[in-house]
Amino acid sequence: MEQIVIGNLLDDATSQFRPGRILLEGTHIAALEWGHFGPGEGSLYRPESFIAPGFIELQINGGLGYDFTTQPEAVFDVAAILPRWGVTSFLPTIITSPATTYLHALAVIGAAMGRTEGTQILGVHLEGPFLNPHYRGVHNPAWLQLPALEKVKAILDAGPLRLFTIAPELQDATKVINFLQQQGVLVSMGHSAATYEQTLTGHKAGALYATHLFNAMLPLHQREPGLAGAVLTLPEVKAGIIVDGIHLHPAVVKLAYQSKGAVGLNLVTDAMAGMGMPPGRYELSGQGVKVDKESARLDNSVGTLAGSILTLDRAIRNMQKWSGCSLAEAIQMVTRNPAQLLNLERKGRLVPHYDADLVVLDREGEVEMTFVKGQQVFPNLRQLA
Ligand code: ZN
């Protein structure tokens, strides 16, 4: 099937929006043409709208009341709803849990790959269990483990591991980092007390990413910059950030942008079961979480953050507002950057031969329409019914 969408297209060469039209043929982008076109010169006429590559989400624990770690079969339901927020592919994220739980989740999600309606699954992000107990955040300390190669081999055998978060300072962590990097897995540093030097060691072993920069790591200190200071100053290491206004102060979002630039950041939601749901009580990896209108927290004395209820389209709008970046730059942080991190050859850019994964945004940055591999998946008839 052939479709032609007219609007302001993200120009891959200049990273700016320009009027034009994009031709979709079957599952792929066939061509882009620049200039002003009339309503009769395309199948979809949106001259006021912005047309961007589909968003790629690297960290999402669940949504719609479901938790991927304990209910991995819910990836089908969540994949069906994610196009509403512009997400066209994602890494369901499994967090620290008993080995039987995370190995089962990897297998179930592996079996779901290629079979979801709506958003596509790219693989699994496993966050834990090799994390530092002092920076565990919401991760249950009972299930944290020390790194070991045989455990990692069991993980690789169980399912499609694509991204692995580990604290690089733990004993034998560098062996695990090095091994996974050789297996083509993106290794990320996080939930960690790593010093600046330990971060460099982790990076040299093959870690190229940091999980939710600033959250669950040593704070930036003038004599010990830690993981955060190392990542801010190392252009080779990219960083995920949660821009919900709760996890990071707006000024810290700006600091991250000014240090890393648009090429160095990746927006994630870290969303949990309460995403897309009314306030109430939900679960994250078997723990009770209280969700209000803005945040998700454990019911303990300090109210430990337990993921978020952020959506990726809102993260883009927040990023623009707080960092001063352009819409095109914020979109790069959920398209081209994650595609490069995962070595995706046909996603994250509007260029010929790439997958026809598109998001149409209105002037306010709200998602109007989403296409996955040339199919309109939002709004769709089932959701409108
Ligand atoms: Zn985390």
Side-chain angles (χ1 to χ4, degrees), residues 239-257:
I241 51 172
I242 307 168
V243 189
D244 63 350
I246 308 280
H247 281 76
L248 301 175
H249 188 282
V252 175
V253 172
K254 196 169 187 173
L255 169 68
Y257 172 65

Side-chain angles (χ1 to χ4, degrees), residues 288-310:
V289 175
K290 209 165 83 182
V291 172
D292 60 24
K293 283 200 170 97
E294 292 172 331
S295 65
R297 294 173 189 276
L298 284 187
D299 224 351
N300 58 15
S301 57
V302 287
T304 306
L305 287 172
S308 86
I309 49 167
L310 182 64

Side-chain angles (χ1 to χ4, degrees), residues 41-357:
E41 295 175 287
S43 45
L44 185 66
Y45 182 63
R46 283 281 188 280
E48 297 293 311
S49 301
F50 298 99
I51 297 160
F55 305 157
I56 302 166
E57 165 77 273
L58 300 189
Q59 186 162 10
I60 171 166
N61 309 289
L64 303 177
Y66 298 113
D67 175 44
F68 293 147
T69 300
T70 53
Q71 299 161 289
E73 59 286 342
V75 288
F76 288 100
D77 294 86
V78 177
I81 198 82
L82 283 175
R84 177 176 297 231
W85 300 294
V87 182
T88 54
S89 52
F90 74 121
L91 294 182
T93 301
I94 304 304
I95 76 163
T96 301
S97 46
T100 48
T101 302
Y102 65 70
L103 293 174
H104 172 70
L106 273 153
V108 170
I109 294 168
M113 274 179 84
R115 295 174 46 224
T116 52
E117 268 182 51
T119 298
Q120 287 184 289
I121 297 173
L122 299 171
V124 169
H125 175 181
L126 184 58
E127 192 190 27
F130 310 147
L131 307 177
N132 192 311
H134 297 289
Y135 288 91
R136 64 180 186 271
V138 71
H139 293 247
N140 190 332
W143 306 115
L144 292 174
Q145 302 178 39
L146 280 173
L149 275 183
E150 67 271 18
K151 293 174 192 165
V152 174
K153 286 175 183 160
I155 290 167
L156 284 176
D157 287 344
L161 181 68
R162 202 74 194 251
L163 169 55
F164 188 72
T165 296
I166 182 170
E169 72 279 15
L170 298 179
Q171 186 190 321
D172 288 339
T174 48
K175 280 186 201 161
V176 165
I177 294 170
N178 194 257
F179 173 75
L180 284 175
Q181 189 256 349
Q182 286 174 11
Q183 302 294 314
V185 175
L186 173 65
V187 182
S188 183
M189 299 180 279
H191 287 274
S192 160
T195 62
Y196 180 81
E197 290 299 331
Q198 286 168 329
T199 306
L200 294 191
T201 303
H203 170 50
K204 282 200 193 93
L208 297 173
Y209 187 64
T211 295
H212 44 57
L213 178 64
F214 294 112
N215 294 118
M217 58 183 70
L218 217 58
L220 181 66
H221 184 275
Q222 68 273 25
R223 284 185 292 279
E224 180 43 79
L227 175 49
V231 169
L232 285 179
T233 51
L234 284 171
E236 303 80 11
V237 181
K238 313 301 182 190
I241 51 172
I242 307 168
V243 189
D244 63 350
I246 308 280
H247 281 76
L248 301 175
H249 188 282
V252 175
V253 172
K254 196 169 187 173
L255 169 68
Y257 172 65
Q258 290 179 346
S259 304
K260 304 292 295 168
V263 295
L265 294 174
N266 174 45
L267 306 182
V268 298
T269 63
D270 201 13
M272 51 77 69
M275 188 271 292
M277 298 292 284
R281 300 198 62 86
Y282 300 91
E283 280 197 3
L284 179 61
S285 187
Q287 302 183 87
V289 175
K290 209 165 83 182
V291 172
D292 60 24
K293 283 200 170 97
E294 292 172 331
S295 65
R297 294 173 189 276
L298 284 187
D299 224 351
N300 58 15
S301 57
V302 287
T304 306
L305 287 172
S308 86
I309 49 167
L310 182 64
T311 54
L312 220 40
D313 60 322
R314 194 149 59 85
I316 290 171
R317 296 192 292 272
N318 289 343
M319 189 69 200
Q320 285 178 266
K321 193 161 49 175
W322 295 331
S323 74
C325 76
S326 67
L327 173 63
E329 285 180 307
I331 284 173
Q332 174 177 354
M333 298 174 201
V334 294
T335 56
R336 197 170 181 154
N337 295 357
Q340 275 177 357
L341 278 164
L342 296 181
N343 291 315
L344 302 173
E345 285 170 4
R346 293 183 184 271
K347 292 197 183 293
R349 296 164 63 190
L350 295 186
V351 288
H353 310 300
Y354 270 54
D355 286 347
D357 293 354

Side-chain angles (χ1 to χ4, degrees), residues 12-29:
D12 192 71
T14 62
S15 291
Q16 297 200 342
F17 284 95
R18 289 169 61 196
R21 64 179 184 178
I22 183 165
L23 174 69
L24 314 181
E25 239 170 40
T27 60
H28 294 95
I29 296 169

